[in-house]
Amino acid sequence: MDQPQEPAQSRPDAAPVTLKIVVSDDLPESALELLRAEPGWQVDARSGRPAAELAKDLADADALLVRSATKVTKDLLAAAPRLRIVGRAGTGVDNIDMTAASGRGILVVNAPGANSISVAEQAVALMLSLARMVPAADRAMKDGKWEKK
């Protein structure tokens, strides 16, 4: 029985695999460090790029990682001939042209539920704020009043 061959990237004589990942929206530094730690992965992380500059950066990219700020349009996808995957760090894919991506065979993935804890914490904080009348007290203070009750 033949033994399976090792993947090319694990053989010492193999050339290193280079995968260019463009990160176009802000991500925590810890997330970027995880990506950069992978051998053969080149991470280009610069948020707030104009669409024309992002399109140039995608010309030789294999992957694009976005949040909600970047709009992944048909034109942007057309500027990325090597693109194989678009990852959305968050819920939903409403900022990604799914028809154009599917037409090109580009995989689109997201992270549903990734922010569930943050959303729950925010909801509880807002309920406590309303229960303790924090918005009304804030408004009174800004109006120069000191209403102790």
Side-chain angles (χ1 to χ4, degrees):
M1 181 187 260
D2 291 331
Q3 292 292 328
Q5 290 188 346
E6 293 180 49
Q9 64 266 27
S10 66
R11 291 194 323 251
D13 59 332
V17 175
T18 301
L19 180 72
K20 181 179 177 186
I21 303 168
V22 173
V23 181
S24 64
D25 293 336
D26 286 328
L27 283 182
E29 191 56 39
S30 59
L32 295 174
E33 288 171 10
L34 285 172
L35 292 172
R36 290 182 177 123
E38 289 296 320
W41 288 14
Q42 173 194 349
V43 179
D44 176 4
R46 290 178 284 142
S47 64
R49 294 178 245 212
E53 186 180 326
L54 180 56
K56 272 203 266 185
D57 293 338
L58 288 172
D60 61 345
D62 300 287
L64 172 62
L65 185 54
V66 300
R67 289 185 78 175
S68 57
T70 300
K71 305 303 178 214
V72 184
T73 64
K74 180 180 181 178
D75 292 338
L76 195 59
L77 292 170
R82 285 181 38 185
L83 198 64
R84 295 184 275 166
I85 186 168
V86 175
R88 164 78 194 271
T91 302
V93 291
D94 55 318
N95 58 320
I96 301 168
D97 186 333
M98 293 297 294
T99 304
S102 295
R104 289 256 325 272
I106 298 170
L107 180 64
V108 176
V109 297
N110 66 348
N115 60 348
S116 297
I117 293 173
S118 296
V119 170
E121 290 171 343
Q122 179 69 6
V124 170
L126 290 172
M127 288 188 285
L128 290 172
S129 174
L130 289 173
R132 298 293 299 161
M133 296 184 278
V134 172
D138 178 64
R139 179 77 266 152
M141 288 294 295
K142 288 178 179 173
D143 289 343
K145 299 175 186 170
W146 181 252
E147 298 174 349
K148 295 180 185 180
K149 295 181 183 182

